[in-house]
Amino acid sequence: MTDVAVWPLTIRARRPEDLDQCVDVLRQVRLVDGYPAKWPSDPKAWLDRRDFDQSWVAESTPGLIVGHVAVQNGREVTRLFVAPAARRLGVASAMLDHVSIWAGGRLILNVVDKPDSAAVAFYEGTGWRYTRTTTADWTGPRGEAVRLRHYVR
């Protein structure tokens, strides 16, 4: 994906036919950021879990997906990512505002605790409050323990 004009941006419920494009965007994110920490053996299933309450995509023009987010347990943000070419244009903030309205307010999320994390800088710079750090119940790509920073908004 090259330069992207994201506005007007549409946040809408993700549809089954969106999954291939979401996986393509996730692959771009993985190359730039290393997210997810371990590439899933079935990335479509990783994005389309039955325990998600709802999933959305951000579309910059009809048919061009530039972001993804899901919610589980009523208010826990998960699987949030934005295409590298669409970053710093308000896509993540727009998706999180949409999710907040859907959830009726307070949201929680966690992010891998790594130095100079763009995700940590984004959350802390947009009003998310750090609450604690824990060890994940899963391991990193080399079997190492993964520390998670927890946030609330």
Side-chain angles (χ1 to χ4, degrees):
M1 182 181 296
T2 57
D3 292 335
V4 174
V6 298
W7 298 101
L9 187 70
T10 301
I11 310 297
R12 63 166 176 79
R14 193 197 65 225
R15 300 184 291 248
E17 60 268 23
D18 297 326
L19 283 170
D20 285 333
Q21 195 174 162
C22 289
V23 169
D24 289 342
V25 173
L26 183 63
R27 191 171 285 111
Q28 295 167 30
V29 169
R30 171 82 172 151
L31 290 172
V32 171
D33 299 325
Y35 174 82
K38 276 194 214 179
W39 185 255
S41 59
D42 183 350
K44 283 185 188 178
W46 188 80
L47 291 172
D48 194 31
R49 294 181 41 157
R50 293 184 190 268
D51 59 340
F52 291 168
D53 300 320
Q54 181 67 49
S55 299
W56 297 268
V57 294
E59 246 181 359
S60 65
T61 58
L64 181 61
I65 293 170
V66 295
H68 179 279
V69 65
V71 171
Q72 61 190 10
N73 305 318
R75 64 186 193 112
E76 183 181 349
V77 175
T78 189
R79 308 304 196 260
L80 171 62
F81 55 90
V82 173
R87 300 224 176 125
R88 300 190 177 274
L89 299 173
V91 175
S93 292
M95 288 192 300
L96 289 168
D97 289 346
H98 186 88
V99 170
S100 182
I101 292 166
W102 176 88
R106 189 172 165 163
L107 296 172
I108 60 172
L109 62 78
N110 61 60
V111 63
V112 172
D113 184 22
K114 53 184 192 182
D116 302 322
S117 167
V120 168
F122 169 76
Y123 296 126
E124 292 182 358
T126 56
W128 289 80
R129 185 174 55 83
Y130 167 77
T131 59
R132 70 191 189 286
T133 300
T134 62
T135 301
D137 60 0
W138 45 273
T139 60
R142 293 171 297 287
E144 72 277 15
V146 175
R147 302 285 293 163
L148 299 173
R149 294 178 63 86
H150 297 262
Y151 290 88
V152 65
R153 175 176 139 188

